Amino acid sequence: MRKFAALALVLLLAGCSLGSKKEVPQPTPSPDLSGKPPAIAVLNGPFASGPVRAPEKGALVGAWIKPDELTHVGRLAAVDSLETDLGRRLSIVNTYRRFEQMVGTSSDKEFLSQGATLMVSWATGDNRSILDGEHDDLIRKQAKAIRKIKKPVLLRMRWEMDRPNLRATMWSGNDYIAAWKYVRNIFKQERANNVSWVWCPTAEGFIRGDAPGFYPGDDQVDWTCVDVYAGENFQPIGQLMGPFLQFAAQHPKPIIIGEFGVAKAWGSAARAAWLRDAERTFKANPQIKALAYFESDPEGNPATKQFQLTGDKLAFKAFHALVKDPYFNP
């Protein structure tokens, strides 16, 4: 009887131990970030990149910096703060616009006057309603607004169009391609010739295999682009965007990394290592001519989707080393 009681106690304790292991998440092993990444995007150019010219050597550096307030003063303060910490101006300032929000705000003009190139991430609407002509006036208004600033602009028309949660408004790759051509034709009619057209899906879309189906064609695209994050899946950036780089190497366009970031969930040391590996990866792929960090902690997001580097000493130091490298100051 005592033996059975002792056995029951052992089994009970073992069950408690197993239960506690389920409640405490185990850390994900860090990938090896020490090796030199393979150069997959092997095209060296020169590239016909539209009005925003790709540098012959090296790559331009920019960012999206989430302001405390979405106002003229707030936007300027956010960019100025990061530039002060970095000790240099950003070559590219990423800015997001809803379909009805026009380019050419006071802050846009200020960034342009400081020598930055605007990258406008424009959230166009339902592709089929665009093709039905429901938004022609709005599209023409935006084309005129961009033409009026008289400076070259990178335009990401409905970036990340391949995301599954956008399928209700994107409909299909064919619908997106048709809408892209429709919008671009209106810009041509309005003589908005200062636009470099940037096609920018997600790295996940190339891993799934559906992103290429949204490509409008080499005659329609000036820059290929990808958004890539070490968020919930902590892998080296070269591995995360490897399928995209293989695709891009088949198209004679310069590459811009439209958004990239490494989440706070992985800790300072791992974030710093990931950024150092990102620097090696960018330099090993000569087709990559520009990149923009996503310097933001979106409200309501978990730590796996918080990417701000400011305040993280080790991670920021790694990013600072990247932006001070002569390769990223062409």
Side-chain angles (χ1 to χ4, degrees):
M1 192 69 178
R2 290 179 180 176
K3 290 181 179 180
F4 286 118
L7 178 60
L9 179 60
V10 169
L11 291 173
L12 178 61
L13 291 173
C16 292
S17 175
L18 289 172
S20 64
K21 287 183 180 179
K22 290 179 181 179
E23 294 171 4
V24 180
Q26 299 300 305
T28 302
S30 295
D32 180 11
L33 302 175
S34 59
K36 183 178 180 180
I40 303 173
V42 295
L43 298 181
N44 290 306
F47 303 105
S49 55
V52 180
R53 295 183 179 181
E56 292 184 11
K57 296 181 179 179
L60 305 171
V61 173
W64 154 253
I65 308 99
K66 185 174 182 285
D68 292 334
E69 295 182 2
L70 289 171
T71 62
H72 168 66
V73 174
R75 292 177 191 273
L76 292 180
V79 173
D80 183 68
S81 177
L82 181 61
E83 289 181 334
T84 299
D85 291 342
L86 293 174
R88 59 159 286 183
R89 294 281 191 190
L90 295 172
S91 298
I92 297 171
V93 173
N94 185 16
T95 180
Y96 295 90
R97 299 297 155 88
R98 296 190 298 272
F99 201 2
E100 71 279 5
Q101 289 181 315
M102 296 296 107
V103 177
T105 64
S106 297
S107 55
D108 290 344
K109 294 174 181 177
E110 183 65 25
F111 296 139
L112 291 166
S113 71
Q114 295 173 359
T117 295
L118 279 183
M119 181 165 70
V120 180
S121 301
W122 189 27
T124 51
D126 183 284
N127 285 327
R128 292 188 178 178
S129 67
I130 289 174
L131 293 169
D132 286 340
E134 295 180 19
H135 309 287
D136 284 8
D137 290 344
L138 175 59
I139 296 167
R140 289 187 186 280
K141 185 179 179 181
Q142 185 70 282
K144 292 175 183 177
I146 292 177
R147 183 189 71 198
K148 189 176 180 180
I149 67 176
K150 300 179 180 179
K151 295 285 183 69
V153 171
L154 293 162
L155 182 61
R156 295 202 301 167
M157 177 178 155
R158 187 53 273 178
W159 74 103
E160 299 185 1
M161 77 302 293
D162 59 305
R163 286 187 348 226
N165 67 339
L166 290 178
R167 202 54 51 87
T169 54
M170 296 297 97
W171 294 91
S172 70
N174 288 337
D175 287 295
Y176 176 80
I177 291 169
W180 174 288
K181 293 178 178 179
Y182 187 92
V183 171
R184 183 163 182 173
N185 186 53
I186 291 177
F187 270 63
K188 182 179 180 180
Q189 293 171 11
E190 296 298 334
R191 305 185 309 280
N193 300 320
N194 55 324
V195 173
S196 281
W197 294 82
V198 181
W199 179 71
C200 201
T202 65
E204 292 87 349
F206 286 92
I207 294 170
R208 290 192 307 267
D210 53 6
F214 291 82
Y215 188 61
D218 288 348
D219 63 328
Q220 292 288 318
V221 172
D222 295 314
W223 291 68
T224 55
C225 176
V226 71
D227 289 353
V228 55
Y229 291 93
E232 296 176 357
N233 187 8
F234 188 71
Q235 293 177 340
I237 193 169
Q239 185 173 341
L240 291 168
M241 65 177 180
F244 162 76
L245 291 174
Q246 292 174 351
F247 171 89
Q250 306 305 312
H251 301 274
K253 307 293 176 180
I255 294 170
I256 180 169
I257 310 302
E259 300 171 15
F260 74 104
V262 57
K264 291 182 174 180
W266 302 111
S268 296
R271 296 180 84 198
W274 192 90
L275 287 165
R276 288 191 294 270
D277 178 67
E279 179 179 356
R280 291 193 294 267
T281 302
F282 299 149
K283 293 170 76 172
N285 286 277
Q287 200 172 343
I288 297 174
K289 296 297 184 182
L291 47 116
Y293 191 82
F294 190 77
E295 177 67 357
S296 177
D297 288 341
E299 293 181 10
N301 279 7
T304 53
K305 295 182 179 180
Q306 303 277 357
F307 303 102
Q308 189 176 64
L309 298 174
T310 302
D312 185 330
K313 187 175 180 179
L314 290 177
F316 191 87
K317 182 179 179 181
F319 183 65
H320 185 255
L322 182 155
V323 302
K324 298 295 281 187
D325 189 312
Y327 186 87
F328 299 102
N329 289 268

